[in-house]
Amino acid sequence: MSDQKKKFSLLKKLWDIVPNYAKLPLAAAFGFNMAVFSGTRVINKKRKYHDMTTELDRKIPFTPKSVFIYVFAFVQWIVGYVVVARDGKDTCKRVVGADVIAKAITLACFLIYPTEMKRPSIDDERIQGKGLDKWLTRFIYKADAANNLFPSIHCLESWMIFKSCSHLKKRPPFWYKPVMFVTAIAVFASTVLLKQHVIADIPAGVSAAEAGYAIMNKLMK
C-alpha cells in the first residue's frame, strides 16, 4: 500500500469513529477556520500590517526544537475534538459553537488590526542542514506567512480543547485534563520560541476562546 493510501486509510478510520451527528458541525467549523486563516490574508494583502514585537519578545531565544511541540498541537486538537464529538450532541454543539464564535472574533481582529512580525530567515544557519527539527521549521516557515498573528489560532485551539474538559459528561481518564492543560501551556511557549508569534498573541488567543465559551454557554441556557 502506498504512503498516500495509508494516510487516506488512517484519516478514514479516524473519521469513522466520529458520530454522524458531529461530522457536519466539525467539517463546517474546519471550513470556517480555513476561511478565517487564509481568506483574511487575501483581503489584507494590500493593507498595512502592524508589528507588536516588544523588547521582551526579542529576548526570547529562537529554539527550532520547539517545533515538535508546535506540531504536536495538531494531535492535541484531533484527540480533543474526537473526545468532544463522542461525548454527546450537547457537548459537541457547545464546544464547536464556542469554537466558531471564537474564530469569528479572530476574523474581526485580523480584519481590524492586521499584524505581522519579523522572524529568522529561511536561510538562517540555525535551521539549515540535517535534523527533523530544522526541516520542520523550514517547512512551516515556507507554508505559513508571518502574519495574521493576533490572536494566535494555535493558542486559541489548544485552550479550547483544555476548556472542553469541563464540559464533558462522560468522565475522561484522570490524566486527561492535566495533560491537556500542560500541552496547552507547552504550545503557548512553542509559538514564541519558534518565532511564529509574539507574547501578546497568546493571551489574545486564550481570551477569544474564553469569550467563545462564555457566549455559547449563554446561548445554550
Side-chain angles (χ1 to χ4, degrees):
M1 183 181 294
S2 66
D3 290 341
Q4 188 174 1
K5 288 183 178 180
K6 287 180 180 178
K7 290 178 182 178
F8 179 78
S9 178
L10 180 61
L11 289 172
K12 186 177 185 302
K13 287 179 181 179
L14 185 64
W15 189 241
D16 286 343
I17 67 175
V18 174
N20 288 332
Y21 63 76
K23 289 181 177 179
L24 181 58
L26 287 176
F30 177 75
F32 185 56
N33 176 79
M34 295 307 296
V36 171
F37 186 71
S38 302
T40 49
R41 283 178 169 164
V42 176
I43 297 173
N44 290 335
K45 191 173 183 179
K46 295 184 179 181
R47 296 183 64 196
K48 178 183 177 181
Y49 281 84
H50 306 272
D51 191 338
M52 299 176 67
T53 304
T54 65
E55 189 58 36
L56 181 56
D57 286 300
R58 295 186 184 94
K59 290 181 179 179
I60 296 174
F62 176 44
T63 313
K65 289 190 183 301
S66 63
V67 72
F68 296 123
I69 300 173
Y70 189 83
V71 171
F72 182 74
F74 292 95
V75 178
Q76 181 204 22
W77 306 342
I78 292 171
V79 171
Y81 279 110
V82 168
V83 170
V84 164
R86 292 176 65 83
D87 192 68
K89 290 184 179 180
D90 183 77
T91 303
C92 182
K93 180 180 179 181
R94 187 181 302 275
V95 176
V96 173
D99 180 76
V100 171
I101 293 170
K103 294 297 171 50
I105 294 171
T106 301
L107 171 64
C109 291
F110 286 175
L111 294 176
I112 294 171
Y113 196 75
T115 56
E116 64 179 0
M117 68 177 290
K118 292 182 180 179
R119 64 187 182 192
S121 167
I122 197 73
D123 298 318
D124 191 296
E125 62 180 10
R126 290 169 292 183
I127 56 174
Q128 289 302 308
K130 297 179 180 179
L132 182 58
D133 58 326
K134 296 178 180 180
W135 181 86
L136 279 172
T137 302
R138 292 197 302 270
F139 175 80
I140 289 171
Y141 275 22
K142 289 178 182 178
D144 188 14
N147 55 36
N148 274 2
L149 309 175
F150 181 89
S152 164
I153 291 181
H154 238 70
C155 297
L156 184 162
E157 287 292 6
S158 287
W159 194 252
M160 185 71 65
I161 293 302
F162 164 66
K163 288 286 291 187
S164 72
C165 299
S166 300
H167 298 287
L168 297 176
K169 294 180 179 179
K170 299 174 184 177
R171 182 175 295 181
F174 73 92
W175 50 262
Y176 183 77
K177 187 173 182 178
V179 167
M180 289 301 171
F181 175 74
V182 171
T183 300
I185 299 302
V187 169
F188 295 173
S190 76
T191 63
V192 291
L193 289 170
L194 196 61
K195 300 301 179 180
Q196 280 289 90
H197 285 279
V198 297
I199 295 171
D201 302 332
I202 298 174
V206 171
S207 297
E210 291 284 354
Y213 272 113
I215 294 172
M216 196 61 194
N217 287 338
K218 286 187 177 181
L219 292 175
M220 291 189 67
K221 279 186 177 180

